[in-house]
C-alpha cells in the first residue's frame, strides 16, 4: 500500500500537486480539507455555529461525505449532493478553519481518512496528515510557499470562480488562517522532523509533483 502524506498551509499548492501525483501514479487523491469544508458548509446551512462544540457534535451523525469520479471530474458529495463548488466559496474557508479546531469533528473525519488510507493507495493532503492521521506513512512532505505567492494563487482561483474580492483581503485572510491552523490546541499544522520540506514559491506544480514522485520511487527501490 502506498500512502503519500502532504501537509502545508493554505495556498501552498498541495491539492494541485496531489492531483497530479495521483494521476501520474494511478492512485487515489483524498482532499481532507474538502471534508472539513463540507462539515462547515453543513453547519452554516443549518444555522449551527462552527464554534459551538456541543451543537456541532449533535449534527455530525447527519453529515455523510463521499467522493465520486476521478481526476478532474472528481466530486465531493455531502449527503449525496455535489458541493464541490459550494465548499470553495470564500466564507466557507474561514468556517472550515474554525470548525476544524473542534476535537469531535477531527475525530469523526480522521477515522474516515485512516480507513480510506488503509484500503487504497492514496495521496492525501491537509494539515495534520503527517503528524496525526498517518504518522507512520512511508512518504511525508511539507509543502509551503511565501505568503504573497500563496495569496496570489488563492486570489486567482477566487477571481476565476467569479468572486469580487481584493488581493489584500485574500492575503490578510490567508495569514489569519495560517495562525488559526497552526496555533490550535488539537492537531495543529506542524512540520514533523521526518517530513521533506518543499518550498514551492518558485516551482511549478509539475516540478513539485515530479520531485515528490522521484522521492517516492527512490524510497520504493530502496525497500
Ligand atoms: O486545505 P483547505 O484550505 O481546503 O482546508 C480548509 C480548512 O480545513 C483549513 O483551514 C484547515 C482545515 N484542515 C484541517 O484542519 N486538517 C486537514 N487535514 C485539512 C484541512
Amino acid at each position: 500500500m502506498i500512502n503519500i502524506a502532504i501537509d502545508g498551509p493554505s495556498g501552498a499548492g498541495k491539492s494541485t500537486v496531489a492531483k497530479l501525483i495521483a494521476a501520474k501514479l494511478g492512485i487515489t487523491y483524498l482532499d481532507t480539507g474538502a471534508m472539513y469544508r463540507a462539515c462547515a458548509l453543513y453547519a452554516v446551512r443549518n444555522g449551527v455555529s462552527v464554534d459551538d462544540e456541543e451543537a456541532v457534535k449533535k449534527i455530525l451523525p447527519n453529515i455523510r461525505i463521499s467522493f465520486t469520479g476521478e481526476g478532474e471530474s472528481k466530486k465531493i458529495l455531502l449527503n449525496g449532493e455535489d458541493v464541490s463548488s459550494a465548499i470553495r466559496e470564500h466564507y466557507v474557508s474561514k468556517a472550515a478553519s474554525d470548525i476544524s479546531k473542534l476535537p469531535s469533528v477531527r475525530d469523526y473525519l480522521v477515522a474516515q481518512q485512516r480507513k480510506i488510507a488503509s484500503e487504497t493507495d492514496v495521496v492525501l493532503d491537509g494539515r495534520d496528515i503527517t503528524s496525526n492521521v498517518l504518522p507512520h506513512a512511508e512518504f511525508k512532505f511539507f509543502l509551503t510557499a511565501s505568503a504573497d505567492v500563496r495569496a496570489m494563487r488563492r486570489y486567482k482561483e477566487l477571481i476565476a470562480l467569479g468572486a469580487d474580492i481584493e488581493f489584500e483581503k485574500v492575503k490578510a485572510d490567508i495569514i489569519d488562517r495560517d495562525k488559526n491552523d497552526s496555533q490550535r490546541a488539537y492537531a495543529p499544522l506542524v512540520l514533523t522532523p521526518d517530513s521533506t520540506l518543499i518550498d514551492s514559491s518558485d516551482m511549478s506544480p509539475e516540478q513539485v509533483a515530479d520531485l515528490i514522485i522521484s522521492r517516492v520511487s527512490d524510497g520504493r527501490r530502496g525497500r
Side-chain angles (χ1 to χ4, degrees):
M1 201 66 74
I2 312 180
N3 284 174
I4 304 174
I6 307 177
D7 283 325
S10 308
K14 299 183 300 290
S15 60
T16 311
V17 164
K19 273 186 211 156
L20 283 171
I21 295 170
K24 288 184 186 216
L25 297 181
I27 63 176
T28 297
Y29 165 49
L30 181 62
D31 179 350
T32 66
M35 299 171 81
Y36 289 93
R37 286 170 181 270
C39 283
L41 182 67
Y42 185 90
V44 173
R45 279 181 175 177
N46 288 280
V48 172
S49 163
V50 289
D51 302 313
D52 185 341
E53 170 97 69
E54 282 314 306
V56 170
K57 212 174 184 170
K58 283 200 193 108
I59 58 168
L60 285 177
N62 307 335
I63 301 178
R64 213 170 13 87
I65 295 170
S66 55
F67 293 89
T68 173
E70 269 309 323
E72 283 311 308
S73 52
K74 188 155 186 168
K75 307 271 181 236
I76 179 164
L77 307 181
L78 170 61
N79 296 331
E81 175 195 344
D82 177 5
V83 291
S84 311
S85 303
I87 60 163
R88 298 292 153 203
E89 289 201 33
H90 194 58
Y91 77 92
V92 180
S93 300
K94 174 72 169 86
S97 183
D98 287 339
I99 210 167
S100 73
K101 290 183 193 167
L102 306 181
S104 56
V105 172
R106 302 206 69 84
D107 293 346
Y108 181 66
L109 295 182
V110 167
Q112 296 174 34
Q113 293 157 10
R114 286 188 181 140
K115 181 165 187 295
I116 294 169
S118 71
E119 293 169 347
T120 354
D121 289 331
V122 65
V123 49
L124 308 81
D125 78 321
R127 303 294 187 291
D128 64 333
I129 312 299
T130 59
S131 59
N132 178 47
V133 180
L134 300 174
H136 304 299
E138 197 177 355
F139 303 107
K140 297 166 77 167
F141 300 89
F142 188 97
L143 186 58
T144 189
S146 71
D148 270 308
V149 167
R150 293 187 289 115
M152 185 48 78
R153 288 176 185 160
R154 204 28 71 86
Y155 173 71
K156 285 183 179 161
E157 269 172 28
L158 289 167
I159 295 295
L161 285 172
D164 175 19
I165 195 155
E166 306 250 311
F167 172 75
E168 287 307 324
K169 162 91 177 122
V170 176
K171 186 174 166 190
D173 287 351
I174 265 203
I175 291 170
D176 190 44
R177 210 138 68 83
D178 284 354
K179 216 182 280 163
N180 223 9
D181 296 344
S182 40
Q183 293 181 0
R184 66 177 175 228
Y186 200 67
L189 170 65
V190 286
L191 167 60
T192 65
D194 55 352
S195 293
T196 302
L197 175 66
I198 302 174
D199 185 331
S200 75
S201 301
D202 298 315
M203 292 171 83
S204 69
E206 281 282 343
Q207 287 173 321
V208 178
D210 288 345
L211 176 62
I212 291 179
I213 289 171
S214 74
R215 292 294 173 97
V216 171
S217 309
D218 290 350
R220 303 193 88 206
R221 262 197 299 276
R223 268 179 193 171

